[in-house]
Every structure is written in C-alpha cells, then in structure tokens.
Amino acid sequence: MNIIEVSHLVKEYKKIKKERGLRGAVKNLFVQNTETVRAVDDISFSIEKGDIVGYIGPNGAGKSTTVKMLSGIMRPTSGEILIDGISPQKDRKRVVRNLGVVFGQRSQLNWDLRLGETFELLKRIYQIEDKTYTENLGTLNEIFQIDRFIDTPVRQLSLGQRMRGDLVAAMLHSPEVLFLDEPTIGLDVEAKYSVRKFIKEVNQRGKTTIILTTHDLGDIQELCRRVIIINEGAVIEDGSLDELIDKIAPYRHLIIDFYHPVTIPHPHAEIVSVREARSVYRFRKDEITAARLIEDISHTAPIKEVGLEEAKIDDIIRTVYHQRKASVQS
C-alpha cells in the first residue's frame, strides 16, 4: 500500500539576473530581468507504508524543496502530491496531523522554554490525549533517555540533545510519516548512533514511513532499504541500494596473501596488482563468487590470508552524479 504518491512534481521560481559593471548596476536600478529556474523538474515516485527511503543528492539538487512541498510548507508549480490519499496543498491541516518533520539545521523547539514545556505545548497544539501523550513520551524516553535533560532550557541543550528533542517532538502525535532533513548533521559518533537507533525503532514499532535526506552516506547504508537519487531537480536513480551497487559497481576486489610470492591467473578474475606475496584480484559478482575464486586459487598455492573489498557507497553515488552530468553535457 502506497502512503505517498508524487506525480509530475514541478517547482519553479523567478531569479533576478543582474548585469555586471557600473553600467549594469545603474541599469539594475530601473530594469529587472528575470529568468525561470526549475528547482524540481517533473519528479514522480511512490512510497509504501513502513518504508525507509533515502532521498539524496548534492547541494542544490532539490531535496529540501521536495520535502517542503511534501509537508505542505511550499506549494508546487504543478504536479500532484498525496499523503495517505490527501493533498497537503488542499488540506494541509489534515495532512500535518499525520506528519512529523525534522530539519537538522532548524529546531522546532522553543528556546525560551524547558524541553518538557515545549513537549507540553506541542501536546496542546496537536490535541494529543493525556494517555497517548504519556505513552508516547515514555516509549521515546526508552530510546533517547530524554528524562535526563527534559527540565533543561532548550537554549542550554547540546546539539545532540537538541536533535533528540526535535525527534521526540516530531513523534509525540504518532505520525504515520516522518520527514528527516539532515538529522545527523554536525553530530558526533555517539549522537549519530542514537539518532539511527531512534529511526530504526520508530520504524519497526509503528511501521512509520520515513523519508531521509542526508549527506552522511553512513545513514543511507545503515538505515535505507531504498534510495532515490536526485540531481539538478530530476530523479536519476530509484531502487534498492544493493541494486544500485550491482548496477554501478558490479566488481569486487579479493586480496590474497600467499606464503610465498606467486602469480596465479584465473579465467574469471583480473589481477590488478601484485606486491611481494600479495595479489589483488578484480572479479564480477555475477560471474563467480569470492568463495569459489579462493577455492580455485588455493588448489594451486597455499593461502595465508584473504580479504574482500566491496565498492564504497560514496564512490557509487559520485559515479552516478558524474554519469548524469556527462549525459546532460553530451
């Protein structure tokens, strides 16, 4: 069952073109030339209930603009969005009651209140029943231990504590859909672990659908079953992370340390380097398994130690961007 439907979504805005130089500066005072820029360019996708989807791309790709339109903060130029069958542009209040939104660089917490008072304020705004509020706060406290700083003024919270507070605030009203825009930005290792743990648990406990935009590819590897890659306002890849890796980088590297220097060729692998008793083999995953390759080579010479290198996710994403750029230029 699809809980999010996006069809031919477009967002355009006007950009003022300023002429350079003294003459241009004077002309700009009286005449303003504008051009139309497409921040989001005919995007379509659907997301099933309970999925965690990584929505990734370089700076300026249109990620945050898309999230703002999905959450009803911004209106699209054209196209349609349905959240659980409801348009956020036509009935934003109804949709918002079913959404949680966290922007990593903007807190929804009130800096002049204690953290607990902010939660109480949100309880009234969303008209959360006492029993539901208590249960939700208790469940979220099990994950984040926010009781340790719930009486601390928001302005005195650390970045990690504030992010935990924002995540709890976004989930107090039991939304079915959670939008997370750079939730781990600027956090240390321990805080990132806590945020990732939170995302996994709210997804598993309540089948919460989560769209995650991030530049931290560790978040993608750790959390996402599916990735949508956007660049220059358009979707360039959409599928499982494993499928993307197989498509872009079908090769693996097998590192073999022998007891003595030796070079052993194999029909289904290329030797990319040999250094003393170490050989590195490059092979396609769809042609031969690492186990079979090791077994074949071990029949010729005894093996001391082996290692296996998978393609790195950041290299995969970089390759996708470059391929898109090359195709546009050609």
Side-chain angles (χ1 to χ4, degrees):
M1 174 185 172
N2 293 329
I3 194 167
I4 298 175
E5 295 277 359
V6 175
S7 180
H8 301 292
L9 191 64
V10 173
K11 180 59 181 179
E12 297 178 340
Y13 63 91
K14 299 292 184 180
K15 180 181 178 181
I16 298 175
K17 294 177 63 177
K18 293 187 177 181
E19 296 189 21
R20 296 180 180 180
L22 179 59
R23 180 177 295 180
V26 174
K27 185 178 179 181
N28 291 333
L29 295 174
F30 301 97
V31 180
Q32 287 190 340
N33 295 320
T34 63
E35 63 177 338
T36 300
V37 177
R38 278 202 172 191
V40 173
D41 187 8
D42 196 25
I43 285 177
S44 297
F45 60 82
S46 59
I47 296 176
E48 292 187 1
K49 180 175 175 58
D51 274 357
I52 302 180
V53 177
Y55 194 65
I56 61 177
N59 289 331
K63 305 183 301 296
S64 295
T65 301
T66 304
V67 170
K68 289 175 182 177
M69 288 189 287
L70 290 173
S71 56
I73 296 173
M74 187 179 289
R75 297 186 66 87
T77 303
S78 62
E80 184 178 41
I81 301 170
L82 294 176
I83 308 291
D84 202 15
I86 307 168
S87 168
Q89 280 68 50
K90 295 178 180 178
D91 196 347
R92 183 168 184 259
K93 287 185 178 180
R94 189 176 170 193
V95 170
V96 164
R97 297 188 66 84
N98 205 24
L99 297 182
V101 182
V102 175
F103 291 98
Q105 295 177 312
R106 297 180 202 158
S107 177
Q108 63 177 314
L109 306 176
N110 192 315
W111 281 53
D112 296 322
L113 300 177
R114 292 182 296 104
L115 181 60
E117 290 174 327
T118 295
F119 294 157
E120 289 285 347
L121 179 61
L122 290 170
K123 173 179 179 289
R124 293 183 175 88
I125 291 173
Y126 285 104
Q127 299 177 346
I128 306 171
E129 294 182 358
D130 292 343
K131 181 181 178 182
T132 302
Y133 174 79
T134 302
E135 289 177 351
N136 287 352
L137 194 57
T139 299
L140 294 166
N141 182 57
E142 290 177 15
I143 303 172
F144 274 150
Q145 289 80 51
I146 54 171
D147 55 350
R148 299 176 183 176
F149 50 88
I150 197 168
D151 292 323
T152 303
V154 171
R155 66 175 65 252
Q156 295 178 13
L157 297 176
S158 68
L159 178 61
Q161 290 173 333
R162 195 162 66 245
M163 178 52 65
R164 295 176 196 179
D166 270 311
L167 289 166
V168 171
M171 292 301 298
L172 280 174
H173 58 294
S174 308
E176 291 188 50
V177 179
L178 180 61
F179 295 125
L180 301 176
D181 189 18
E182 301 286 358
T184 61
I185 190 169
L187 302 184
D188 58 29
V189 174
E190 183 178 354
K192 284 185 180 182
Y193 171 79
S194 296
V195 171
R196 291 169 183 170
K197 178 184 176 184
F198 165 87
I199 294 171
K200 288 179 182 177
E201 293 205 22
V202 297
N203 173 256
Q204 292 169 358
R205 291 189 186 195
K207 297 297 181 185
T208 306
T209 305
I210 298 171
I211 294 183
L212 170 67
T213 73
T214 181
H215 282 93
D216 190 326
L217 297 177
D219 293 344
I220 300 297
Q221 286 181 291
E222 186 97 10
L223 300 167
C224 299
R225 304 173 186 134
R226 171 186 168 196
V227 290
I228 299 174
I229 303 178
I230 180 175
N231 197 13
E232 297 180 352
V235 172
I236 56 175
E237 291 289 344
D238 183 356
S240 76
L241 187 57
D242 289 340
E243 289 173 348
L244 180 62
I245 292 173
D246 288 342
K247 176 182 176 181
I248 304 299
Y251 293 96
R252 303 168 90 181
H253 287 87
L254 178 66
I255 304 166
I256 299 181
D257 288 326
F258 298 98
Y259 284 94
H260 305 286
V262 63
T263 301
I264 303 173
H266 192 282
H268 295 293
E270 174 191 0
I271 300 176
V272 293
S273 70
V274 177
R275 185 176 180 182
E276 298 179 347
R278 170 171 289 188
S279 293
V280 179
Y281 293 83
R282 182 172 179 260
F283 65 98
R284 287 185 64 98
K285 295 178 283 187
D286 57 352
E287 290 183 358
I288 190 170
T289 64
R292 178 60 187 275
L293 186 57
I294 294 168
E295 181 183 357
D296 290 349
I297 294 172
S298 66
H299 289 158
T300 304
I303 294 174
K304 181 179 180 181
E305 193 172 336
V306 299
L308 191 63
E309 285 188 352
E310 297 280 1
K312 295 180 180 179
I313 182 63
D314 49 350
D315 292 334
I316 300 294
I317 301 303
R318 194 178 300 113
T319 299
V320 172
Y321 295 159
H322 289 330
Q323 287 180 347
R324 170 67 177 180
K325 186 176 181 179
S327 65
V328 170
Q329 290 177 344
S330 62

